[in-house]
């Protein structure tokens, strides 16, 4: 049995930063350098700071790293905190008052599929599942990741 928690994907981490996620983490994503084209490529590598806490992602002084090549080149490398899905779900609940629930249901060919419910606690429940649409997922973790992205997008749109 795998007891490891799932870390959020790089795109979810980017959305979390935009939505104001500011809890300290020991894990983060950092932009990758591609030596074959001598540039940063927009892909992200997962890193863990053992025994250290990654600073508040909204604190620009401590958040973004700068790398110099030669004497004339400077590139600001993007970094994003990478909490687990459960930690980000808790932040949404406690800080942003957002509900996110993942539910199983019997889908095509009697196969268990997953969907999510999202919204503010005071709103009516909005069930996001419908058979055969974009809200049907093969795993709990995939449904949770999609739900996290949906909640973060709603927050960003209302800022």
């Amino acid at each position: 049995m795998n007891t490891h928690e799932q870390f959020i994907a790089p795109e979810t981490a980017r959305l979390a930063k935009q939505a104001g996620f500011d809890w300290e983490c020991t894990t983060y994503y950092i932009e990758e350098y591609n030596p074959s084209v001598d540039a940063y490529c927009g892909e992200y590598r997962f890193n863990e700071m053992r025994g250290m806490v990654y600073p508040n992602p909204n604190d620009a002084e401590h958040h973004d790293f700068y790398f110099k090549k030669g004497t004339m080149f400077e590139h600001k490398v993007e970094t994003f905190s990478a909490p687990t899905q459960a930690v980000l779900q808790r932040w949404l609940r406690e800080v942003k008052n957002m509900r996110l629930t993942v539910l199983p249901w019997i889908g095509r060919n009697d196969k268990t599929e997953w969907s999510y419910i999202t919204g503010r606690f005071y709103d009516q429940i909005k069930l996001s599942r419908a058979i055969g649409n974009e809200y049907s997922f093969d795993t709990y973790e995939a449904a949770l990741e999609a739900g996290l992205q949906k909640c973060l997008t709603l927050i960003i749109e209302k800022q």
Side-chain angles (χ1 to χ4, degrees):
M1 173 184 241
N2 184 355
T3 59
H4 297 288
E5 291 195 59
Q6 181 76 30
F7 288 94
I8 61 173
E11 181 56 30
T12 308
R14 178 190 305 268
L15 291 171
K17 180 179 179 181
Q18 291 174 354
F21 178 76
D22 60 358
W23 287 6
E24 293 178 336
C25 295
T26 59
T27 52
Y28 63 98
Y29 289 102
I30 186 168
E31 190 175 13
E32 288 274 11
Y33 177 74
N34 183 343
S36 65
V37 294
D38 195 28
Y40 289 88
C41 58
E43 298 292 322
Y44 296 88
R45 179 180 73 243
F46 182 81
N47 284 305
E48 183 171 5
M49 299 175 78
R50 297 179 193 273
M52 299 173 64
V53 176
Y54 187 65
N56 179 331
N58 295 320
D59 183 354
E61 181 181 339
H62 298 101
H63 178 63
D64 291 313
F65 299 100
Y66 288 84
F67 291 95
K68 294 183 178 180
K69 290 188 56 133
T71 58
M72 301 299 291
F73 179 80
E74 185 176 304
H75 178 77
K76 184 176 180 180
V77 177
E78 286 190 295
T79 57
F80 307 106
S81 293
T84 63
Q85 290 178 330
V87 167
L88 185 56
Q89 185 179 19
R90 180 178 172 199
W91 178 81
L92 287 167
R93 182 177 64 249
E94 293 180 2
V95 176
K96 297 296 185 175
N97 199 30
M98 293 288 291
R99 172 187 0 93
L100 173 57
T101 305
V102 178
L103 302 169
W105 57 287
I106 303 300
R108 297 169 293 246
N109 302 322
D110 292 329
K111 178 183 165 201
T112 300
E113 295 182 8
W114 299 89
S115 190
Y116 61 86
I117 298 172
T118 186
R120 301 243 180 232
F121 279 107
Y122 52 80
D123 289 343
Q124 278 188 312
I125 292 177
K126 298 174 184 172
L127 186 59
S128 64
R129 80 167 175 92
I131 295 174
N133 76 2
E134 63 191 90
Y135 300 109
S136 175
F137 302 92
D138 290 334
T139 66
Y140 173 91
E141 292 78 12
L144 181 55
E145 189 79 21
L148 291 168
Q149 289 183 3
K150 180 66 173 180
C151 286
L152 294 167
T153 300
L154 290 171
I155 292 166
I156 292 166
E157 289 172 353
K158 292 190 180 206
Q159 288 181 346

